[in-house]
Amino acid sequence: MSVSFRMWLPLASLCLALAGCGGDDNAEDAGANATAGMAVTTAPVVRRELASGVTASGPVTPVEEMQLGVELSGLRVTSVNVDEGEEVDRGDVLLTLDARTLESDLAQAQAALREAEAGASLARSNLARGEQLASGQYISASALDELRAARTQAEARVGTARAARDASQLRRDFATLRAPADGIISARLVQPGQVVAAGSELLRLIKDGELEWRAELPAEDLGDVNPGDRVELRDRDGGAVVGTVRAVSPGVDAASRTGTVFADLPEPAGLQPGTYLEGRISTGLATVPVVPVSAVVLRDGFPSVFVVEDGVARMARIERGATDHGFVEVRGGLEPGAQVVTRGAGFLADGDPVRVVEEKPAPAPAAADTADGDTASTP
């Protein structure tokens, strides 16, 4: 047994030495592979002129919506001449009320006016005759004064009767509701046969059919918007509707810290009031820090980039701004000059080793053959 053990001992030592050499080679290969990492391209954070803007959402609303009603109570609606969505002109009859009692009152007032006018005419004639008699001293001065007083009283009764007639005419006119301006009927809240009350809303009119877009903006964005800025909305069909900022609220709400932007839509292109749309307000050009669009990825729902530091990709969340011509504004989260991953960022995780390579230029187009298919030869 001792002889066999002595014969196998050198052989075992040789095997262990060979195995040790092989392990060192594998460890070096593994380390080399770990150091190499994923091949990526990078670009620095630079400052450049960018078309700046603010993106917001808000409803499309009428610029001025008029609530229409009548000034009479207890009368029945006899006809409604318009429906929702119908265009009307100023002065068009929208609805009428049962005005039979009003017409009777008007006729009575007109008769009273005619009676008063007749009395005034008689009083003027009596005064004229009295003045002629007084010149010949056929009547006393006191009698002449009575004739003058009778004429004054008769003319006063005419004024009272005329005012009563005008009031009756006005009440009769109230029984007909007319459009106060050009526009579009946006709501109809009454039906024929309904008994209405004074001041109740019966119809709703969008004056001149004008619409606007109202968006709530945070205080930090509200100061960048000015009247006259261009607004572009996207409707549900993907079409663009262009407007202009008409006004910006001078202050912000103390609770929500937001203010309102009002944008006119001169050509609403079929937009309906109440539609909630996203829009972009162009606020001009600004020199801001930017990165290529390809560098920005979403991680946990937040825009992020990967910054290369000593061969390792470090994830950094950013505050994203406007996008223009392939670049994204970086409002916060990065320092100017930082190298961000532009190609391969979507496959990285925080702490991954990376290997920065140069981006390959696009291949040049192949040389076209000659028209007859033969290559040119040197004479």
Side-chain angles (χ1 to χ4, degrees):
M1 293 297 293
S2 59
V3 175
S4 300
F5 177 75
R6 291 174 181 175
M7 294 177 59
W8 282 102
L9 184 59
L11 183 59
S13 300
L14 179 60
C15 291
L16 290 174
L18 292 176
C21 293
D24 293 341
D25 292 340
N26 292 336
E28 291 178 1
D29 292 342
N33 292 334
T35 303
M38 178 180 174
V40 297
T41 59
T42 61
V45 179
V46 297
R47 297 180 63 86
R48 62 175 292 164
E49 195 174 67
L50 202 67
S52 59
V54 178
T55 300
S57 297
V60 176
T61 61
V63 175
E64 183 177 352
E65 191 170 30
M66 310 174 73
Q67 298 179 357
L68 308 181
V70 295
E71 300 180 49
L72 303 173
S73 291
L75 296 182
R76 180 174 53 85
V77 177
T78 57
S79 65
V80 181
N81 303 329
V82 293
D83 209 342
E84 293 182 2
E86 186 173 338
E87 295 185 5
V88 297
D89 297 326
R90 181 186 180 92
D92 286 352
V93 176
L94 305 181
L95 64 80
T96 57
L97 303 177
D98 186 356
R100 289 176 294 178
T101 58
L102 299 177
E103 289 172 350
S104 176
D105 294 340
L106 177 60
Q108 184 176 356
Q110 289 173 339
L113 175 61
R114 289 193 298 268
E115 181 181 0
E117 288 174 342
S121 178
L122 178 60
R124 285 190 291 268
S125 298
N126 290 336
L127 177 60
R129 286 192 294 269
E131 289 174 342
Q132 292 178 355
L133 293 173
S135 63
Q137 296 184 351
Y138 293 108
I139 62 173
S140 63
S142 61
L144 182 62
D145 290 340
E146 290 177 357
L147 293 175
R148 289 194 180 104
R151 182 200 60 179
T152 302
Q153 290 173 352
E155 290 177 345
R157 283 192 290 269
V158 170
T160 302
R162 182 176 290 113
R165 190 277 313 269
D166 292 343
S168 296
Q169 182 65 60
L170 185 60
R171 287 177 59 82
R172 172 60 185 86
D173 293 341
F174 283 161
T176 302
L177 178 60
R178 297 180 180 272
D182 299 343
I184 300 174
I185 300 297
S186 59
R188 169 179 163 171
L189 309 173
V190 64
Q191 299 295 333
Q194 181 177 338
V195 177
V196 299
S200 60
E201 182 183 1
L202 305 179
L203 298 169
R204 203 174 296 159
L205 174 71
I206 300 176
K207 185 180 179 181
D208 299 324
E210 295 180 343
L211 299 179
E212 66 181 3
W213 179 66
R214 299 179 184 178
E216 298 291 329
L217 294 181
E220 56 269 18
D221 292 333
L222 195 66
D224 298 333
V225 181
N226 297 292
D229 287 346
R230 183 177 184 271
V231 176
E232 183 172 331
L233 308 180
R234 289 290 175 181
D235 59 23
R236 295 179 178 179
D237 298 329
V241 178
V242 178
T244 305
V245 174
R246 173 174 55 86
V248 180
S249 60
V252 297
D253 183 80
S256 63
R257 303 299 301 166
T258 60
T260 305
V261 173
F262 304 87
D264 287 334
L265 303 176
E267 296 182 4
L271 293 181
Q272 299 298 323
T275 306
Y276 205 83
L277 296 178
E278 182 180 90
R280 177 173 174 79
I281 306 171
S282 299
T283 57
L285 298 176
T287 301
V288 294
V290 298
V291 296
V293 172
S294 59
V296 182
V297 295
L298 284 179
R299 289 293 186 270
D300 298 328
F302 295 95
S304 305
V305 298
F306 285 93
V307 180
V308 177
E309 298 177 353
D310 299 328
V312 177
R314 298 297 183 187
M315 187 180 72
R317 288 182 179 176
I318 63 171
E319 183 182 350
R320 180 172 180 167
T323 302
D324 186 44
H325 293 86
F327 288 91
V328 177
E329 176 188 359
V330 179
R331 294 185 174 180
L334 287 179
E335 295 294 332
Q339 296 290 330
V340 298
V341 176
T342 57
R343 180 169 298 179
F347 303 98
L348 292 176
D350 187 32
D352 283 353
V354 293
R355 177 168 47 91
V356 178
V357 298
E358 294 184 2
E359 188 170 0
K360 296 181 180 179
D369 294 337
T370 57
D372 57 1
D374 297 334
T375 56
S377 59
T378 304

